[in-house]
Amino acid sequence: MSYETAVEALIDVGGRLHDRGWLPATSGNLSVRLGDGSIAITVSGAHKGGLRESDLMRVNGEGRAIDDHRRPSAETLLHTQIYATFPEVGVVLHTHSVNATVISRLLGRSWEIDDLEILKAFPGIDTHESRVSVPVFDNDQDMVRLAGEVERHLHDGPPGYLIRGHGLYAWGADMDAAVRHLEAFEFLLQCELLTREVTRS
Amino acid sequence: MSYETAVEALIDVGGRLHDRGWLPATSGNLSVRLGDGSIAITVSGAHKGGLRESDLMRVNGEGRAIDDHRRPSAETLLHTQIYATFPEVGVVLHTHSVNATVISRLLGRSWEIDDLEILKAFPGIDTHESRVSVPVFDNDQDMVRLAGEVERHLHDGPPGYLIRGHGLYAWGADMDAAVRHLEAFEFLLQCELLTREVTRS
Amino acid sequence: MSYETAVEALIDVGGRLHDRGWLPATSGNLSVRLGDGSIAITVSGAHKGGLRESDLMRVNGEGRAIDDHRRPSAETLLHTQIYATFPEVGVVLHTHSVNATVISRLLGRSWEIDDLEILKAFPGIDTHESRVSVPVFDNDQDMVRLAGEVERHLHDGPPGYLIRGHGLYAWGADMDAAVRHLEAFEFLLQCELLTREVTRS
Amino acid sequence: MSYETAVEALIDVGGRLHDRGWLPATSGNLSVRLGDGSIAITVSGAHKGGLRESDLMRVNGEGRAIDDHRRPSAETLLHTQIYATFPEVGVVLHTHSVNATVISRLLGRSWEIDDLEILKAFPGIDTHESRVSVPVFDNDQDMVRLAGEVERHLHDGPPGYLIRGHGLYAWGADMDAAVRHLEAFEFLLQCELLTREVTRS
């Protein structure tokens, strides 16, 4: 995929995810891995609901700017870590929904999910009789330290994790897969929230 | 109805139902019965929010592919069962809303509804002073076994049933009727959820 | 206002209110009073999200069809009652939201509201330090009997009432006023629901 | 910014915020400070979802009409107070969401927020490990008295405050900043509401 095509895809998905309330204010980051291994990613502080070309930049596999004087967002490191860990991943979406924020603060170090048909939206799961464990990391402004925590839990499990009081990282081989995984996580977060509201005694 | 017309109708309704959050990720299946008794149905794994012609296929009354090398979704059997049981039914919509998922896990073998005006949206009901019993089946990846369970409760009752932790099947004589029944079920699910939230002590 | 203009206005408002989830399935009725005192009103069973000219009809002040072989909806009587009671009213909107349905079942014979700025959206109210009492009637398929109940509480109070497990009637001098009152009632219903969810111990 | 440009910007943002349910009925006011220090502001009673040029007017820094026979809304005083206090502020948005209404009635004199990544949407905050205190004022139809209360808490704190049972005031250097702050406050209100629903025992 060329940088120009990636920019178009990121502008489009930014608008769609913002309309769903998953990228409030200027939260979140979105990225696509290009054919040459470099990455197109949103810059810090851009409003994802109305991205312009100037809100995107190109970084290398280590997250350093290519042909650009701007400093990438600190969270770029969490994107490059996912790309480095999973050669098949082409898109990383970091969203910031109310549900991800609220539920992540109520969970411990992981979110256990089972017995739901929607789990089949994740790779390698072909029955609702599965158990998925989503890591939940404490929020940290020190991205190197946070990436270190993530490193220890990234290799297995579903294509996503939560950062407490911060949001969700989800990824996939291409944009369709990443959005499908994101929709499944947000669906599961809403199920978790409503179930707690209705059953808490 | 021709296959081409059915494909257009399914692409249109898929987009509308996805926009309402009732077909997250690639969940759900949608079908229309054609004039010759064959069925146009979505293939497994398609995203219902942006269906293309290639995401649909034609099967016969037993659910076997017609002029197509692709294998139909396993859930096609639940569609053909409904068409075989009800000669007047022309459209079957299987959706996967958060409310259907959450409420179905809180119910036993049936969902009893009464004293609501919206019940008049269902065939043969002309007063809110009616009692409707919606079957709730345990989820099962073995569609033959699940169809067997459904068979025993399909003949009477409203035009729909729930599969626990999975979603809703709703049907009608044509697309308008099927969507009307689906909207009524989703309305009732939301009423059930909010009533439980507010009244649970 | 001519019948043609009224039809356009009703088709437009039907679509907008359906998109907000206030007219699920084929619930609700919408009407406009014309210059000659006759009334343009939706026929029974029409889907308000996509009204066609043929989904509307003209009735006289007593609710009898004018130049039309179709039988008006039984609920037409509740519209003509409002027009007969309030000469200044030009539009009546009967909606059927989840919140109106759920809250009306939790209330007694009236819904008391006070100390909210939004109350100023109702005629004659210029401070949040007001108390509004919205009548709540038991649902009844016998419209003559229901209209009799309504008659005793219609004359004073805000421009609307609830029917238990059924929905809301709201009205105003013109479409803008009726929609403004409807939005205020739906806002108040949502406040009532959320306050009960959060504060119920 | 010229008056004409400001009018266009206010018509556009009014439609967008109404579509999000933050300006029900005819609630709320929106304003922009022009290059010459005068202010373009919505008139009382206009429906923000479909603003027309005639729904806007120009006032001076003291809130008196310029070249206009109409009386500005009483709440204009709360806008001019913010512009007078913060020379860098160019846009003030007063919204009226269900969540702002419900939560403000459950809070005391302030709303304390901490440990959330979204706080970084506010000026001068660069870590989730911050504590923000949003003032909550009792509603009052006497704007001079209310402005007096506001005056004592306006100078420090985040770019917004709540009026009990009434809504939210949020502001920023330009429209993008004001909308970003508004989205962050509404996000925080939804987090507060859901957290109370799920954790209240």
Side-chain angles (χ1 to χ4, degrees), chain A residues 18 24-26 47 96-99 101-102 105-106 139 141 165-166 193 196-197 200, chain D residues 20 114-118 120 126-128 180 183 187 190-191 194-195 197-200:
Chain A
H18 180 267
T26 58
H47 195 299
H96 198 120
S97 71
V98 165
N99 289 350
T101 302
V102 169
R105 296 180 92 190
L106 303 174
N139 197 11
Q141 300 301 319
H166 183 154
L193 185 88
R196 285 169 178 250
E197 284 181 11
R200 183 180 44 73
Chain D
R20 297 175 76 160
D114 60 15
D115 201 26
L116 287 167
E117 184 74 9
I118 195 80
K120 290 165 66 179
D126 58 8
T127 170
H128 63 284
R180 183 173 70 247
E183 286 188 345
F187 179 94
Q190 181 72 0
C191 288
L194 295 184
T195 301
E197 284 181 12
V198 173
T199 60
R200 184 181 43 72

mmCIF file of all heavy atoms in Angstrom, chain A residues 18 24-26 47 96-99 101-102 105-106 139 141 165-166 193 196-197 200, chain D residues 20 114-118 120 126-128 180 183 187 190-191 194-195 197-200:
data_model
loop_
_atom_site.group_PDB
_atom_site.id
_atom_site.type_symbol
_atom_site.label_atom_id
_atom_site.label_comp_id
_atom_site.label_asym_id
_atom_site.label_seq_id
_atom_site.Cartn_x
_atom_site.Cartn_y
_atom_site.Cartn_z
ATOM 1 N N HIS A 18 -14.891 8.232 14.662
ATOM 2 C CA HIS A 18 -15.300 9.402 15.460
ATOM 3 C C HIS A 18 -16.819 9.505 15.516
ATOM 4 O O HIS A 18 -17.397 9.776 16.575
ATOM 5 C CB HIS A 18 -14.718 10.691 14.893
ATOM 6 C CG HIS A 18 -15.128 11.892 15.689
ATOM 7 N ND1 HIS A 18 -16.235 12.646 15.369
ATOM 8 C CD2 HIS A 18 -14.620 12.423 16.830
ATOM 9 C CE1 HIS A 18 -16.380 13.599 16.262
ATOM 10 N NE2 HIS A 18 -15.413 13.495 17.160
ATOM 11 N N PRO A 24 -13.201 10.604 20.850
ATOM 12 C CA PRO A 24 -13.638 11.928 21.301
ATOM 13 C C PRO A 24 -12.470 12.909 21.392
ATOM 14 O O PRO A 24 -11.321 12.495 21.504
ATOM 15 C CB PRO A 24 -14.187 11.648 22.696
ATOM 16 C CG PRO A 24 -13.410 10.468 23.165
ATOM 17 C CD PRO A 24 -13.224 9.607 21.929
ATOM 18 N N ALA A 25 -12.811 14.201 21.339
ATOM 19 C CA ALA A 25 -11.809 15.261 21.413
ATOM 20 C C ALA A 25 -10.703 14.922 20.412
ATOM 21 O O ALA A 25 -10.989 14.644 19.255
ATOM 22 C CB ALA A 25 -11.275 15.402 22.831
ATOM 23 N N THR A 26 -9.458 14.920 20.807
ATOM 24 C CA THR A 26 -8.399 14.559 19.847
ATOM 25 C C THR A 26 -7.720 13.266 20.281
ATOM 26 O O THR A 26 -6.542 13.029 19.989
ATOM 27 C CB THR A 26 -7.339 15.678 19.744
ATOM 28 O OG1 THR A 26 -6.801 15.893 21.064
ATOM 29 C CG2 THR A 26 -7.943 16.965 19.235
ATOM 30 N N HIS A 47 -7.726 16.082 15.391
ATOM 31 C CA HIS A 47 -9.093 15.611 15.636
ATOM 32 C C HIS A 47 -9.414 14.547 14.582
ATOM 33 O O HIS A 47 -9.474 14.838 13.395
ATOM 34 C CB HIS A 47 -10.086 16.763 15.547
ATOM 35 C CG HIS A 47 -11.432 16.405 16.127
ATOM 36 N ND1 HIS A 47 -12.200 15.387 15.619
ATOM 37 C CD2 HIS A 47 -12.116 16.894 17.198
ATOM 38 C CE1 HIS A 47 -13.316 15.288 16.341
ATOM 39 N NE2 HIS A 47 -13.279 16.184 17.309
ATOM 40 N N HIS A 96 -10.751 5.261 22.001
ATOM 41 C CA HIS A 96 -10.854 5.842 23.340
ATOM 42 C C HIS A 96 -12.332 5.988 23.685
ATOM 43 O O HIS A 96 -12.810 7.107 23.921
ATOM 44 C CB HIS A 96 -10.159 7.212 23.283
ATOM 45 C CG HIS A 96 -9.792 7.771 24.608
ATOM 46 N ND1 HIS A 96 -8.509 8.066 24.973
ATOM 47 C CD2 HIS A 96 -10.553 8.087 25.682
ATOM 48 C CE1 HIS A 96 -8.489 8.564 26.193
ATOM 49 N NE2 HIS A 96 -9.726 8.581 26.651
ATOM 50 N N SER A 97 -13.063 4.893 23.682
ATOM 51 C CA SER A 97 -14.501 4.989 23.936
ATOM 52 C C SER A 97 -14.795 5.135 25.423
ATOM 53 O O SER A 97 -13.978 4.800 26.275
ATOM 54 C CB SER A 97 -15.194 3.726 23.415
ATOM 55 O OG SER A 97 -14.861 2.614 24.233
ATOM 56 N N VAL A 98 -15.977 5.646 25.722
ATOM 57 C CA VAL A 98 -16.429 5.736 27.112
ATOM 58 C C VAL A 98 -16.404 4.340 27.746
ATOM 59 O O VAL A 98 -15.903 4.163 28.859
ATOM 60 C CB VAL A 98 -17.850 6.330 27.181
ATOM 61 C CG1 VAL A 98 -18.478 6.103 28.550
ATOM 62 C CG2 VAL A 98 -17.818 7.814 26.858
ATOM 63 N N ASN A 99 -16.919 3.341 27.036
ATOM 64 C CA ASN A 99 -16.980 2.000 27.624
ATOM 65 C C ASN A 99 -15.598 1.430 27.920
ATOM 66 O O ASN A 99 -15.383 0.822 28.966
ATOM 67 C CB ASN A 99 -17.753 1.050 26.711
ATOM 68 C CG ASN A 99 -19.241 1.357 26.699
ATOM 69 O OD1 ASN A 99 -19.725 2.160 27.498
ATOM 70 N ND2 ASN A 99 -19.959 0.749 25.775
ATOM 71 N N THR A 101 -12.994 3.120 28.605
ATOM 72 C CA THR A 101 -12.475 3.891 29.743
ATOM 73 C C THR A 101 -13.081 3.401 31.052
ATOM 74 O O THR A 101 -12.365 3.130 32.027
ATOM 75 C CB THR A 101 -12.786 5.388 29.537
ATOM 76 O OG1 THR A 101 -12.191 5.799 28.303
ATOM 77 C CG2 THR A 101 -12.248 6.233 30.683
ATOM 78 N N VAL A 102 -14.405 3.267 31.079
ATOM 79 C CA VAL A 102 -15.104 2.902 32.314
ATOM 80 C C VAL A 102 -14.794 1.454 32.720
ATOM 81 O O VAL A 102 -14.427 1.186 33.873
ATOM 82 C CB VAL A 102 -16.622 3.107 32.156
ATOM 83 C CG1 VAL A 102 -17.393 2.489 33.310
ATOM 84 C CG2 VAL A 102 -16.929 4.598 32.029
ATOM 85 N N ARG A 105 -11.314 0.559 34.103
ATOM 86 C CA ARG A 105 -11.060 0.986 35.486
ATOM 87 C C ARG A 105 -11.673 0.037 36.504
ATOM 88 O O ARG A 105 -11.339 0.093 37.691
ATOM 89 C CB ARG A 105 -11.606 2.401 35.711
ATOM 90 C CG ARG A 105 -10.896 3.434 34.850
ATOM 91 C CD ARG A 105 -11.479 4.808 35.102
ATOM 92 N NE ARG A 105 -10.739 5.507 36.149
ATOM 93 C CZ ARG A 105 -11.138 6.654 36.702
ATOM 94 N NH1 ARG A 105 -12.305 7.181 36.346
ATOM 95 N NH2 ARG A 105 -10.423 7.246 37.622
ATOM 96 N N LEU A 106 -12.585 -0.821 36.050
ATOM 97 C CA LEU A 106 -13.251 -1.762 36.958
ATOM 98 C C LEU A 106 -12.600 -3.137 36.924
ATOM 99 O O LEU A 106 -12.909 -3.995 37.750
ATOM 100 C CB LEU A 106 -14.731 -1.891 36.568
ATOM 101 C CG LEU A 106 -15.536 -0.589 36.552
ATOM 102 C CD1 LEU A 106 -16.928 -0.844 36.005
ATOM 103 C CD2 LEU A 106 -15.611 0.026 37.948
ATOM 104 N N ASN A 139 -2.354 2.765 33.025
ATOM 105 C CA ASN A 139 -1.961 3.878 32.173
ATOM 106 C C ASN A 139 -0.609 4.429 32.633
ATOM 107 O O ASN A 139 -0.271 4.360 33.819
ATOM 108 C CB ASN A 139 -3.030 4.977 32.232
ATOM 109 C CG ASN A 139 -2.908 5.967 31.079
ATOM 110 O OD1 ASN A 139 -2.158 5.727 30.138
ATOM 111 N ND2 ASN A 139 -3.645 7.059 31.158
ATOM 112 N N GLN A 141 2.386 7.607 31.294
ATOM 113 C CA GLN A 141 2.844 8.574 30.286
ATOM 114 C C GLN A 141 4.238 8.213 29.771
ATOM 115 O O GLN A 141 4.684 8.749 28.750
ATOM 116 C CB GLN A 141 2.837 9.998 30.857
ATOM 117 C CG GLN A 141 1.452 10.462 31.320
ATOM 118 C CD GLN A 141 0.410 10.450 30.213
ATOM 119 O OE1 GLN A 141 0.689 10.840 29.072
ATOM 120 N NE2 GLN A 141 -0.793 9.970 30.529
ATOM 121 N N GLY A 165 -8.342 3.417 32.006
ATOM 122 C CA GLY A 165 -8.742 4.816 31.972
ATOM 123 C C GLY A 165 -8.275 5.554 30.727
ATOM 124 O O GLY A 165 -8.258 6.785 30.683
ATOM 125 N N HIS A 166 -7.890 4.795 29.731
ATOM 126 C CA HIS A 166 -7.285 5.397 28.538
ATOM 127 C C HIS A 166 -7.945 4.898 27.238
ATOM 128 O O HIS A 166 -8.366 5.694 26.408
ATOM 129 C CB HIS A 166 -5.789 5.098 28.564
ATOM 130 C CG HIS A 166 -5.010 5.700 27.439
ATOM 131 N ND1 HIS A 166 -3.669 6.006 27.541
ATOM 132 C CD2 HIS A 166 -5.362 6.028 26.179
ATOM 133 C CE1 HIS A 166 -3.241 6.509 26.397
ATOM 134 N NE2 HIS A 166 -4.246 6.539 25.550
ATOM 135 N N LEU A 193 -20.616 -3.945 30.190
ATOM 136 C CA LEU A 193 -21.206 -2.828 30.932
ATOM 137 C C LEU A 193 -22.666 -3.101 31.265
ATOM 138 O O LEU A 193 -23.086 -2.993 32.429
ATOM 139 C CB LEU A 193 -21.105 -1.548 30.104
ATOM 140 C CG LEU A 193 -21.579 -0.304 30.841
ATOM 141 C CD1 LEU A 193 -20.428 0.321 31.622
ATOM 142 C CD2 LEU A 193 -22.183 0.695 29.886
ATOM 143 N N ARG A 196 -23.169 -5.862 33.828
ATOM 144 C CA ARG A 196 -22.876 -5.396 35.195
ATOM 145 C C ARG A 196 -24.008 -4.513 35.721
ATOM 146 O O ARG A 196 -24.383 -4.602 36.887
ATOM 147 C CB ARG A 196 -21.559 -4.622 35.224
ATOM 148 C CG ARG A 196 -20.329 -5.529 35.131
ATOM 149 C CD ARG A 196 -19.064 -4.711 34.902
ATOM 150 N NE ARG A 196 -17.882 -5.559 34.865
ATOM 151 C CZ ARG A 196 -16.938 -5.584 35.821
ATOM 152 N NH1 ARG A 196 -17.048 -4.806 36.892
ATOM 153 N NH2 ARG A 196 -15.891 -6.371 35.703
ATOM 154 N N GLU A 197 -24.582 -3.660 34.852
ATOM 155 C CA GLU A 197 -25.664 -2.776 35.299
ATOM 156 C C GLU A 197 -26.891 -3.576 35.734
ATOM 157 O O GLU A 197 -27.548 -3.248 36.715
ATOM 158 C CB GLU A 197 -26.083 -1.826 34.167
ATOM 159 C CG GLU A 197 -25.102 -0.693 33.944
ATOM 160 C CD GLU A 197 -25.552 0.241 32.832
ATOM 161 O OE1 GLU A 197 -26.713 0.113 32.387
ATOM 162 O OE2 GLU A 197 -24.754 1.074 32.417
ATOM 163 N N ARG A 200 -25.637 -6.624 38.782
ATOM 164 C CA ARG A 200 -24.998 -6.261 40.048
ATOM 165 C C ARG A 200 -26.056 -6.174 41.151
ATOM 166 O O ARG A 200 -27.071 -5.508 41.007
ATOM 167 C CB ARG A 200 -24.305 -4.907 39.906
ATOM 168 C CG ARG A 200 -23.540 -4.476 41.146
ATOM 169 C CD ARG A 200 -22.899 -3.139 40.876
ATOM 170 N NE ARG A 200 -23.853 -2.279 40.200
ATOM 171 C CZ ARG A 200 -24.896 -1.732 40.798
ATOM 172 N NH1 ARG A 200 -25.126 -1.956 42.065
ATOM 173 N NH2 ARG A 200 -25.727 -0.971 40.108
ATOM 174 N N ARG D 20 -26.090 15.523 18.064
ATOM 175 C CA ARG D 20 -25.535 14.684 19.131
ATOM 176 C C ARG D 20 -26.412 14.717 20.381
ATOM 177 O O ARG D 20 -26.072 14.099 21.385
ATOM 178 C CB ARG D 20 -24.103 15.130 19.431
ATOM 179 C CG ARG D 20 -23.213 14.929 18.196
ATOM 180 C CD ARG D 20 -21.819 15.473 18.399
ATOM 181 N NE ARG D 20 -21.032 14.582 19.242
ATOM 182 C CZ ARG D 20 -19.704 14.601 19.281
ATOM 183 N NH1 ARG D 20 -19.032 15.441 18.512
ATOM 184 N NH2 ARG D 20 -19.053 13.791 20.079
ATOM 185 N N ASP D 114 -10.212 12.691 38.134
ATOM 186 C CA ASP D 114 -8.787 12.412 38.046
ATOM 187 C C ASP D 114 -8.514 11.069 37.378
ATOM 188 O O ASP D 114 -9.443 10.303 37.120
ATOM 189 C CB ASP D 114 -8.134 12.433 39.432
ATOM 190 C CG ASP D 114 -8.747 11.396 40.372
ATOM 191 O OD1 ASP D 114 -9.457 10.493 39.919
ATOM 192 O OD2 ASP D 114 -8.516 11.521 41.585
ATOM 193 N N ASP D 115 -7.233 10.864 37.062
ATOM 194 C CA ASP D 115 -6.752 9.585 36.561
ATOM 195 C C ASP D 115 -7.405 9.143 35.248
ATOM 196 O O ASP D 115 -7.670 7.948 35.056
ATOM 197 C CB ASP D 115 -6.959 8.509 37.641
ATOM 198 C CG ASP D 115 -6.045 7.310 37.402
ATOM 199 O OD1 ASP D 115 -4.978 7.480 36.772
ATOM 200 O OD2 ASP D 115 -6.416 6.201 37.819
ATOM 201 N N LEU D 116 -7.691 10.078 34.363
ATOM 202 C CA LEU D 116 -8.253 9.740 33.053
ATOM 203 C C LEU D 116 -7.432 10.396 31.937
ATOM 204 O O LEU D 116 -7.152 11.603 32.001
ATOM 205 C CB LEU D 116 -9.710 10.202 32.957
ATOM 206 C CG LEU D 116 -10.720 9.377 33.762
ATOM 207 C CD1 LEU D 116 -12.045 10.097 33.852
ATOM 208 C CD2 LEU D 116 -10.902 8.000 33.124
ATOM 209 N N GLU D 117 -7.087 9.618 30.937
ATOM 210 C CA GLU D 117 -6.270 10.127 29.827
ATOM 211 C C GLU D 117 -6.931 11.318 29.128
ATOM 212 O O GLU D 117 -6.257 12.256 28.701
ATOM 213 C CB GLU D 117 -6.043 8.991 28.816
ATOM 214 C CG GLU D 117 -5.123 9.345 27.656
ATOM 215 C CD GLU D 117 -3.650 9.424 28.055
ATOM 216 O OE1 GLU D 117 -3.294 9.043 29.189
ATOM 217 O OE2 GLU D 117 -2.849 9.897 27.211
ATOM 218 N N ILE D 118 -8.269 11.312 29.047
ATOM 219 C CA ILE D 118 -8.975 12.365 28.310
ATOM 220 C C ILE D 118 -8.732 13.751 28.913
ATOM 221 O O ILE D 118 -8.886 14.762 28.217
ATOM 222 C CB ILE D 118 -10.497 12.044 28.252
ATOM 223 C CG1 ILE D 118 -11.212 12.912 27.181
ATOM 224 C CG2 ILE D 118 -11.150 12.268 29.620
ATOM 225 C CD1 ILE D 118 -11.052 12.395 25.788
ATOM 226 N N LYS D 120 -6.164 15.146 29.274
ATOM 227 C CA LYS D 120 -5.125 15.807 28.466
ATOM 228 C C LYS D 120 -5.715 16.652 27.334
ATOM 229 O O LYS D 120 -4.994 17.408 26.681
ATOM 230 C CB LYS D 120 -4.141 14.773 27.920
ATOM 231 C CG LYS D 120 -3.258 14.163 29.016
ATOM 232 C CD LYS D 120 -2.541 12.903 28.566
ATOM 233 C CE LYS D 120 -1.521 13.151 27.489
ATOM 234 N NZ LYS D 120 -0.834 11.880 27.097
ATOM 235 N N ASP D 126 -0.871 17.509 30.910
ATOM 236 C CA ASP D 126 -0.095 16.603 30.063
ATOM 237 C C ASP D 126 0.030 15.208 30.659
ATOM 238 O O ASP D 126 0.826 14.400 30.193
ATOM 239 C CB ASP D 126 1.288 17.197 29.774
ATOM 240 C CG ASP D 126 2.051 17.479 31.074
ATOM 241 O OD1 ASP D 126 1.571 17.068 32.152
ATOM 242 O OD2 ASP D 126 3.115 18.119 30.994
ATOM 243 N N THR D 127 -0.750 14.913 31.698
ATOM 244 C CA THR D 127 -0.749 13.558 32.227
ATOM 245 C C THR D 127 -2.115 13.214 32.817
ATOM 246 O O THR D 127 -2.825 14.104 33.303
ATOM 247 C CB THR D 127 0.327 13.376 33.325
ATOM 248 O OG1 THR D 127 0.109 12.089 33.950
ATOM 249 C CG2 THR D 127 0.225 14.456 34.391
ATOM 250 N N HIS D 128 -2.463 11.921 32.747
ATOM 251 C CA HIS D 128 -3.728 11.464 33.350
ATOM 252 C C HIS D 128 -3.660 11.610 34.873
ATOM 253 O O HIS D 128 -4.686 11.623 35.535
ATOM 254 C CB HIS D 128 -3.976 10.009 32.980
ATOM 255 C CG HIS D 128 -2.935 9.072 33.505
ATOM 256 N ND1 HIS D 128 -1.679 8.963 32.946
ATOM 257 C CD2 HIS D 128 -2.947 8.222 34.558
ATOM 258 C CE1 HIS D 128 -0.980 8.072 33.612
ATOM 259 N NE2 HIS D 128 -1.706 7.612 34.601
ATOM 260 N N ARG D 180 -13.511 20.635 21.061
ATOM 261 C CA ARG D 180 -12.678 19.601 21.682
ATOM 262 C C ARG D 180 -12.933 19.559 23.198
ATOM 263 O O ARG D 180 -13.126 18.477 23.774
ATOM 264 C CB ARG D 180 -11.204 19.871 21.393
ATOM 265 C CG ARG D 180 -10.265 18.802 21.948
ATOM 266 C CD ARG D 180 -8.834 19.015 21.487
ATOM 267 N NE ARG D 180 -8.216 20.191 22.093
ATOM 268 C CZ ARG D 180 -7.865 21.283 21.408
ATOM 269 N NH1 ARG D 180 -8.081 21.370 20.106
ATOM 270 N NH2 ARG D 180 -7.300 22.298 22.025
ATOM 271 N N GLU D 183 -16.442 18.108 23.828
ATOM 272 C CA GLU D 183 -16.451 16.649 23.668
ATOM 273 C C GLU D 183 -15.802 15.967 24.870
ATOM 274 O O GLU D 183 -16.262 14.925 25.327
ATOM 275 C CB GLU D 183 -15.702 16.227 22.400
ATOM 276 C CG GLU D 183 -16.454 16.513 21.125
ATOM 277 C CD GLU D 183 -15.775 15.896 19.902
ATOM 278 O OE1 GLU D 183 -14.589 15.500 19.987
ATOM 279 O OE2 GLU D 183 -16.425 15.815 18.852
ATOM 280 N N PHE D 187 -17.729 13.483 27.320
ATOM 281 C CA PHE D 187 -17.144 12.154 27.512
ATOM 282 C C PHE D 187 -17.023 11.871 29.011
ATOM 283 O O PHE D 187 -17.405 10.805 29.492
ATOM 284 C CB PHE D 187 -15.773 12.122 26.838
ATOM 285 C CG PHE D 187 -15.042 10.809 26.970
ATOM 286 C CD1 PHE D 187 -15.146 9.837 25.987
ATOM 287 C CD2 PHE D 187 -14.230 10.558 28.069
ATOM 288 C CE1 PHE D 187 -14.463 8.632 26.095
ATOM 289 C CE2 PHE D 187 -13.547 9.351 28.189
ATOM 290 C CZ PHE D 187 -13.661 8.388 27.200
ATOM 291 N N GLN D 190 -20.387 11.185 30.623
ATOM 292 C CA GLN D 190 -20.866 9.829 30.329
ATOM 293 C C GLN D 190 -20.088 8.805 31.170
ATOM 294 O O GLN D 190 -20.683 7.859 31.700
ATOM 295 C CB GLN D 190 -20.700 9.540 28.829
ATOM 296 C CG GLN D 190 -21.169 8.174 28.384
ATOM 297 C CD GLN D 190 -22.674 8.018 28.378
ATOM 298 O OE1 GLN D 190 -23.407 8.935 28.716
ATOM 299 N NE2 GLN D 190 -23.135 6.839 28.008
ATOM 300 N N CYS D 191 -18.793 9.004 31.333
ATOM 301 C CA CYS D 191 -17.999 8.112 32.212
ATOM 302 C C CYS D 191 -18.540 8.168 33.641
ATOM 303 O O CYS D 191 -18.684 7.138 34.305
ATOM 304 C CB CYS D 191 -16.526 8.519 32.207
ATOM 305 S SG CYS D 191 -15.649 8.161 30.688
ATOM 306 N N LEU D 194 -21.988 6.300 33.819
ATOM 307 C CA LEU D 194 -21.895 4.832 33.714
ATOM 308 C C LEU D 194 -21.175 4.245 34.923
ATOM 309 O O LEU D 194 -21.555 3.189 35.420
ATOM 310 C CB LEU D 194 -21.184 4.437 32.426
ATOM 311 C CG LEU D 194 -21.913 4.798 31.138
ATOM 312 C CD1 LEU D 194 -21.146 4.269 29.929
ATOM 313 C CD2 LEU D 194 -23.331 4.258 31.125
ATOM 314 N N THR D 195 -20.154 4.940 35.410
ATOM 315 C CA THR D 195 -19.444 4.435 36.577
ATOM 316 C C THR D 195 -20.376 4.393 37.790
ATOM 317 O O THR D 195 -20.395 3.421 38.542
ATOM 318 C CB THR D 195 -18.219 5.320 36.883
ATOM 319 O OG1 THR D 195 -17.376 5.312 35.731
ATOM 320 C CG2 THR D 195 -17.444 4.798 38.089
ATOM 321 N N GLU D 197 -23.628 4.073 37.634
ATOM 322 C CA GLU D 197 -24.619 3.014 37.406
ATOM 323 C C GLU D 197 -24.066 1.637 37.767
ATOM 324 O O GLU D 197 -24.756 0.815 38.341
ATOM 325 C CB GLU D 197 -25.057 2.993 35.940
ATOM 326 C CG GLU D 197 -26.019 4.107 35.581
ATOM 327 C CD GLU D 197 -26.444 4.042 34.125
ATOM 328 O OE1 GLU D 197 -26.172 3.013 33.477
ATOM 329 O OE2 GLU D 197 -27.028 5.013 33.647
ATOM 330 N N VAL D 198 -22.807 1.421 37.400
ATOM 331 C CA VAL D 198 -22.231 0.089 37.561
ATOM 332 C C VAL D 198 -21.694 -0.153 38.961
ATOM 333 O O VAL D 198 -21.718 -1.264 39.462
ATOM 334 C CB VAL D 198 -21.109 -0.130 36.516
ATOM 335 C CG1 VAL D 198 -20.371 -1.426 36.768
ATOM 336 C CG2 VAL D 198 -21.713 -0.127 35.124
ATOM 337 N N THR D 199 -21.225 0.900 39.633
ATOM 338 C CA THR D 199 -20.539 0.665 40.914
ATOM 339 C C THR D 199 -21.406 0.970 42.126
ATOM 340 O O THR D 199 -21.090 0.538 43.227
ATOM 341 C CB THR D 199 -19.266 1.532 41.018
ATOM 342 O OG1 THR D 199 -19.654 2.906 40.918
ATOM 343 C CG2 THR D 199 -18.291 1.187 39.904
ATOM 344 N N ARG D 200 -22.482 1.727 41.948
ATOM 345 C CA ARG D 200 -23.322 2.064 43.102
ATOM 346 C C ARG D 200 -23.850 0.781 43.745
ATOM 347 O O ARG D 200 -24.389 -0.078 43.074
ATOM 348 C CB ARG D 200 -24.507 2.911 42.647
ATOM 349 C CG ARG D 200 -25.393 3.386 43.779
ATOM 350 C CD ARG D 200 -26.518 4.188 43.192
ATOM 351 N NE ARG D 200 -27.039 3.536 41.991
ATOM 352 C CZ ARG D 200 -27.758 2.435 42.004
ATOM 353 N NH1 ARG D 200 -28.060 1.870 43.133
ATOM 354 N NH2 ARG D 200 -28.173 1.888 40.885
#
